[in-house]
Amino acid sequence: DGELTMEDAENLAVLVRHQAAGVIFMPGFRGRQLTFREGPLADFLPIVFDEEKINGVVMRNEANLVLTTSGKDHHLTKLEKGKGKEENFKLWKGLPGFRWSAGIIKSRPGTKVLAVHSNLRNRWGPLPLLAIKTVGSGKALFFGTDAVWRWRRGVEDKYHIRFWMLVARWMAHQRHLAEADGIRLIYAPETVQEGERLYLDCHAFDFSGLPIRDDVVEGRVTYPSGA
């Protein structure tokens, strides 16, 4: 009661899935995040919660976020410009740590894990704490600890604000891809190599901004060669 309603969740799911918006899941120690396991936002969760650890995991000593192979070179983790993969890896490992994290079992299919827990692991490997996922035309991000504010220690907002700015830009990026006259093109991967398979989604909208469902929309893809 007094929190996110089922109607709110449905509206948010439609916004993210069809309007190329984004949603961030950032759990707290009350365990209310487990209510997202069922309902309109269930498909957006990048991870599987541990039902036996509703209130998360508290540690006596600080733990850190460790970038994965994917996370080392992802633009979401570039907290300082000009840093290489290994320098970026060391920077994240040296950020102020945390003593609480959500109870997590593993990542879900279709998820890209950018950072894991430095101390905790299970039979699936280190616990994923920073994970992203694409759903429809939108994006979802999961951050498994609420202690990101501690990154301000000794450097003020240098890394804290930088990270959330990167998240905001990353989530807004989809809305600006080749968008004109009610057409939005979304392709993956965004940076494609020769010989790599490219997936292209075309979203067509009516004058009110709603997706066109009943009409037939014809389109043509032209290659650089003119074909």
Side-chain angles (χ1 to χ4, degrees), residues 31-92:
R32 296 292 290 158
Q33 61 270 10
L34 270 72
T35 61
F36 289 122
R37 292 171 301 168
E38 299 178 0
L41 293 171
D43 291 340
F44 292 79
L45 282 171
I47 52 83
V48 177
F49 286 115
D50 188 341
E51 298 184 16
E52 296 181 359
K53 298 175 181 177
I54 296 177
N55 300 118
V57 180
V58 178
M59 292 155 289
R60 179 173 298 179
N61 299 319
E62 277 192 4
N64 297 95
L65 290 161
V66 179
L67 294 183
T68 63
T69 301
S70 298
K72 282 183 181 180
D73 200 33
H74 198 281
H75 57 269
L76 271 182
T77 67
K78 301 287 187 181
L79 297 184
E80 281 194 23
K81 296 180 180 179
K83 293 284 187 182
K85 292 182 181 181
E86 295 307 318
E87 290 177 304
N88 199 42
F89 178 81
K90 292 178 182 178
L91 190 158
W92 273 76

Side-chain angles (χ1 to χ4, degrees), residues 173-189:
H173 180 57
Q174 295 285 69
R175 299 180 66 87
H176 300 289
L177 285 179
E179 183 177 0
D181 299 326
I183 297 292
R184 181 181 296 122
L185 297 176
I186 297 173
Y187 50 90

